[in-house]
């Protein structure tokens, strides 16, 4: 998706630690005295409970959770004891016990009926319209020469050479273990080839990391669906816009007008892509609640959100029925007609023969055929 995961994790930890450090400084200055007893396990549980109760990922929800768990116990502390004495003339249950019972019941009820919190995280927003790949005359979009990749004693790719032209649907086929996904992983920066070179739109890509490859204009899906299961369909697609987003750390913290406007554009673009792939009515549904075919379409929408010049799809029709596959074919045709080149790994030969302009056939990591699909199917090997 074009996200530098290492830097993003470090940034998240640094931001969290910075706010924690500032809060600790304020706390110690306010208290005037600090000891280990000030930070018992119950206090840690209370802080976590504030986040869970209010709604993780929603700043106002967390603030609401903090108010409730700070204010309500104090109200109970000063109302439970007088109420008991007025009703019964004596204390039956300690206020602290009642407080903890009510606190525990509230958390259990929240987990049952509103697990995302009082104010769950809402969809953020989206970006500018997708750029369309320019059809460069006389130059291949992607060219690979002599790609080799070995895993120990296994030669996954052996001297693979091919080119993909602008605006075509290029199929990558072969039996299981032929090296198709390994080639995908080399092209998208997940693996580094042992030898050989490849260029994208005339620029060498060897040695680039996956997020850098995505930024150059190659987006991919995976053989096994890799969605953010507990985010909505809209939020999943919005994540794909990260590589085309300009808001930095300060924008994320301050939520300034520029950042908010950009998020609105991101949300708008994400919804347009959900309409494009045909699942806009499910925009607010969690990804894990979508039907299998819709999850596949959601993955494609998320990849399209990166504004790719080349869309690499790893077995998008796997597990689909005939109706879903026919619908996928129409979607692939639309994507190509709108200017995006497609690299397709697929075992459904009916789909491959009907949609691909050319195919590359691999077997045991070696290229055994390349050319128009109809011609390659007549080659005995």
């Amino acid at each position: 998706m074009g996200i530098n995961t290492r830097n993003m994790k470090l940034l998240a930890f640094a931001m969290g630690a910075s706010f924690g450090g500032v809060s600790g400084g304020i706390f110690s200055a306010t208290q005037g005295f600090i000891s280990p007893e000030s930070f018992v396990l119950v206090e840690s549980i209370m802080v976590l409970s504030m986040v869970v109760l209010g709604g993780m990922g929603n700043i106002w929800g967390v603030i609401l959770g903090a108010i409730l768990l700070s204010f309500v116990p104090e109200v109970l502390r000063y109302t439970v004891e007088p109420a008991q004495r007025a009703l019964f003339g004596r204390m039956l249950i300690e206020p602290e016990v009642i407080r903890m019972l009510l606190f525990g019941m509230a958390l259990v009820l929240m987990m049952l009926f509103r697990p995302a919190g009082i104010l769950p995280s809402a969809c953020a927003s989206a970006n500018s319209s997708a750029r369309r790949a320019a059809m460069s005359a006389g130059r291949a979009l992607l060219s690979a020469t002599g790609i080799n990749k070995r895993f120990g004693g296994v030669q996954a790719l052996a001297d693979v050479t091919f080119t993909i032209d602008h605006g075509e649907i290029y199929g990558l086929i072969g039996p299981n273990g032929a090296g198709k996904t390994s080639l995908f992983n080399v092209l998208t920066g997940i693996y580094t080839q042992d030898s050989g070179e490849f260029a994208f739109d005339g620029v060498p890509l060897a040695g680039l990391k996956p997020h850098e490859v995505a930024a150059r204009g190659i987006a991919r899906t995976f053989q096994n669906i890799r969605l953010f299961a507990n985010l909505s369909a809209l939020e999943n697609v919005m994540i794909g816009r990260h590589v085309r987003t300009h808001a930095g750390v300060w924008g994320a913290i301050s939520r300034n007008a520029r950042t908010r406007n950009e998020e609105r554009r991101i949300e708008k673009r994400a919804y347009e892509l959900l309409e494009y792939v045909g699942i806009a009515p499910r925009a607010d549904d969690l990804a894990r609640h979508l039907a299998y075919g819709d999850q596949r379409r959601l993955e494609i929408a998320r990849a399209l959100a990166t504004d790719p010049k080349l869309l690499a799809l790893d077995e998008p029709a796997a597990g689909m029925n005939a109706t879903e596959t026919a619908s996928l074919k129409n979607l692939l045709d639309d994507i190509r007609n709108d200017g995006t080149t497609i690299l397709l790994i697929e075992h459904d030969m009916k789909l491959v023969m009907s949609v691909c302009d050319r195919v590359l056939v691999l077997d045991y990591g070696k290229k055994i055929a390349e050319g128009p699909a109809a011609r390659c199917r007549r080659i005995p090997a």
Side-chain angles (χ1 to χ4, degrees), residues 41-167:
L41 178 62
V42 173
E43 295 299 328
S44 298
I45 294 173
M46 284 291 289
V47 173
L48 178 61
S49 298
M50 291 173 183
V51 177
V52 174
L53 179 65
M56 288 188 287
N58 187 313
I59 294 175
W60 293 110
V62 173
I63 292 174
L64 177 60
I67 291 173
L68 289 175
L69 292 187
S70 300
F71 179 72
V72 173
E74 294 304 315
V75 172
L76 292 175
R77 190 190 310 274
Y78 293 104
T79 57
V80 169
E81 182 175 351
Q84 287 192 84
R85 292 190 184 278
L87 289 172
F88 306 106
R90 59 190 178 89
M91 287 287 295
L92 296 179
I93 305 176
E94 289 294 326
E96 185 66 21
V97 174
I98 295 178
R99 173 184 168 222
M100 294 308 295
L101 282 173
L102 293 175
F103 172 59
M105 288 172 60
L107 285 183
V108 170
L109 291 173
M110 285 296 300
M111 292 300 98
L112 288 175
F113 299 108
R114 202 166 178 82
I118 297 172
L119 296 176
S121 175
C123 294
S125 11
N127 206 337
S128 56
S129 59
R131 61 168 197 262
R132 298 305 170 196
M135 303 298 182
S136 300
R139 185 178 71 191
L141 177 63
L142 178 70
S143 60
T145 306
I147 302 296
N148 287 278
K149 181 63 181 176
R150 178 181 290 275
F151 298 98
V154 177
Q155 184 77 36
L157 297 169
D159 199 30
V160 177
T161 299
F162 65 96
T163 61
I164 300 176
D165 295 329
H166 285 269

Side-chain angles (χ1 to χ4, degrees), residues 154-157 174-182 347 362-366:
V154 177
Q155 184 77 36
L157 297 169
N176 289 327
K180 303 184 297 299
T181 298
S182 294
H347 285 288
L362 295 180
D363 192 21
Y364 291 106
K366 298 179 181 179

Side-chain angles (χ1 to χ4, degrees), residues 16-30:
S18 297
F19 282 112
V22 171
S23 301
I26 295 173
F27 177 80
S28 59
T30 303

Side-chain angles (χ1 to χ4, degrees), residues 252-332:
I253 295 173
S254 66
R255 310 295 300 161
N256 55 40
R258 179 185 174 187
T259 300
R260 295 196 304 272
N261 290 336
E262 184 174 53
E263 287 196 344
R264 281 191 287 270
R265 294 194 299 270
I266 292 172
E267 185 172 11
K268 180 175 181 291
R269 178 59 185 156
Y271 191 82
E272 289 172 351
L273 286 169
L274 290 175
E275 285 187 319
Y276 186 78
V277 301
I279 56 173
R282 308 296 302 275
D284 295 326
D285 292 354
L286 296 184
R288 59 190 171 91
H289 292 159
L290 299 181
Y292 180 83
D294 288 346
Q295 289 187 12
R296 286 287 185 188
R297 286 174 171 272
L298 178 56
E299 268 203 321
I300 293 174
R302 187 178 63 179
L304 288 173
T306 68
D307 288 350
K309 297 178 182 177
L310 176 66
L311 178 62
L313 304 175
D314 195 346
E315 297 191 30
M320 288 188 175
N321 58 40
T323 302
E324 291 171 330
T325 301
S327 179
L328 175 64
K329 176 188 179 301
N330 293 334
L331 176 60
L332 296 180

Side-chain angles (χ1 to χ4, degrees), residues 175-197:
N176 289 327
K180 303 184 297 299
T181 298
S182 294
L183 181 57
F184 254 42
N185 289 339
V186 168
L187 295 178
T188 54
I190 294 176
Y191 296 159
T192 301
Q193 71 269 31
D194 297 329
S195 61
E197 58 186 28

